[in-house]
Amino acid sequence: MRWLKLEGAVNVRDLGGIPTEDGAATAPGRLLRSDNLQDLSSGDVSYLLGTVRLSTVVDLRTKAELHAEGPGPLTRVERVVHEHHSLLPEHAWNAAAEALLVRRRKEVERYRGDPACAHYLGYLEERPDSVVGALRAVTRSHGAALVHCAAGKDRTGVVVAFALSVAGARRDEIVRDYAATGERIAAILERLRGSVTYAKDIDRVPLDKHVPRAETMAEFLDHIDKCYGGVPDWLGEHGFTDDELDALHRKLRG
């Protein structure tokens, strides 16, 4: 795992070097994943701009989260393109308890075996435009693209899994990358507890429920295969063209 050590983020890794089905590997310096970027130090920013050559940030949080957290340091860098593609409906973030209960019931009906998998399938049903938009932003990036949400686990995990699938990464390696966030979960939760936006929700959930399970991503991708014919077919049904698939594949393979 190509972890990047930053002062202001704890779940950052370069998705280069992931083995592909044809015996090659994804290229380094093309796609990164991260938890939120609110606390980056000046040294972190210099490293991302100079060494990583970051050119695009894809933020998967809701507008409510962006407003509550305020602009991060990279938003002040003009040469970095920032794109916002929320994977949650805007009303979902601050929904009332009754609305949340209805939402959870719908998720159980969608996929009974795994609540997290059901949640991820909800992204595809409710915000397919954001999934496609995020991948287009990665494809267009002339340098490294970084995808993030709050923890860099769920929303980021889905978009990254789609990108790696297009790149031809081995399924077990996509699952392995998703589960790797578990290595940093204690540090991630500690960061989120320090934010008024997220702190109130962290300890309502048992610690083990925060840890990403490899089985969740495996089931999620299997469900996409079964119901949609695979990631490329799902993307095609939602307007991501064959030319865009080829361009994203080339971007991530080098």
Side-chain angles (χ1 to χ4, degrees):
M1 221 37 75
R2 294 170 57 89
W3 293 101
L4 301 186
K5 186 176 182 180
L6 300 182
E7 295 175 304
V10 297
N11 188 24
V12 190
R13 53 190 184 271
D14 186 329
L15 297 169
I18 293 179
T20 56
E21 295 288 357
D22 60 1
T26 54
R30 303 303 176 91
L31 179 61
L32 284 70
R33 62 181 294 167
S34 178
D35 47 337
N36 73 78
L37 307 176
Q38 304 304 122
D39 301 324
L40 295 182
S41 68
S42 58
D44 293 337
V45 172
S46 295
Y47 174 75
L48 290 170
L49 296 177
T51 302
V52 177
R53 299 185 181 276
L54 181 69
S55 67
T56 300
V57 171
V58 182
D59 192 334
L60 305 177
R61 297 175 298 169
T62 63
K63 290 179 181 178
E65 289 171 89
L66 268 65
H67 178 74
E69 288 290 278
L74 278 172
T75 62
R76 296 189 285 272
V77 180
E78 291 186 3
R79 70 184 192 186
V80 176
V81 175
H82 286 79
E83 293 205 18
H84 174 233
H85 298 284
S86 174
L87 262 62
L88 290 171
E90 290 301 326
H91 65 271
W93 181 253
N94 290 318
E98 184 176 350
L100 286 173
L101 182 59
V102 170
R103 183 178 180 84
R104 291 186 181 118
R105 285 174 179 166
K106 288 177 66 176
E107 289 181 348
V108 170
E109 293 170 0
R110 182 183 294 123
Y111 191 88
R112 294 183 177 276
D114 184 326
C117 183
H119 194 55
Y120 298 169
L121 292 169
Y123 301 158
L124 305 188
E125 292 180 13
E126 297 174 327
R127 298 309 301 265
D129 55 326
S130 289
V131 176
V132 169
L135 293 177
R136 282 182 174 145
V138 172
T139 304
R140 290 193 300 262
S141 177
H142 65 269
L146 185 152
V147 177
H148 80 92
C149 51
K153 176 171 70 79
D154 301 310
R155 291 170 283 186
T156 298
V158 167
V159 169
V160 164
F162 270 46
L164 291 176
S165 295
V166 173
R170 283 173 27 192
R171 176 66 59 87
D172 63 320
E173 292 291 342
I174 297 174
V175 171
R176 178 172 173 264
D177 171 71
Y178 166 79
T181 290
E183 299 174 26
R184 302 294 175 91
I185 200 67
I188 293 167
L189 296 181
E190 189 63 28
R191 276 201 72 210
L192 295 178
R193 286 189 186 99
S195 164
V196 174
T197 309
Y198 304 112
K200 65 182 184 298
D201 295 319
I202 295 302
D203 293 324
R204 292 179 183 175
V205 179
L207 177 60
D208 65 311
K209 298 297 184 183
H210 286 293
V211 178
R213 299 171 59 250
E215 295 85 355
T216 294
M217 181 53 65
E219 290 177 16
F220 173 67
L221 294 172
D222 286 347
H223 187 83
I224 293 172
D225 288 345
K226 179 180 178 181
C227 295
Y228 303 107
V231 168
D233 284 358
W234 184 92
L235 289 170
E237 289 178 10
H238 293 90
F240 202 76
T241 67
D242 288 344
D243 286 344
E244 288 176 314
L245 285 170
D246 289 342
L248 180 55
H249 184 276
R250 291 195 303 272
K251 166 78 177 178
L252 300 180
R253 294 291 290 271

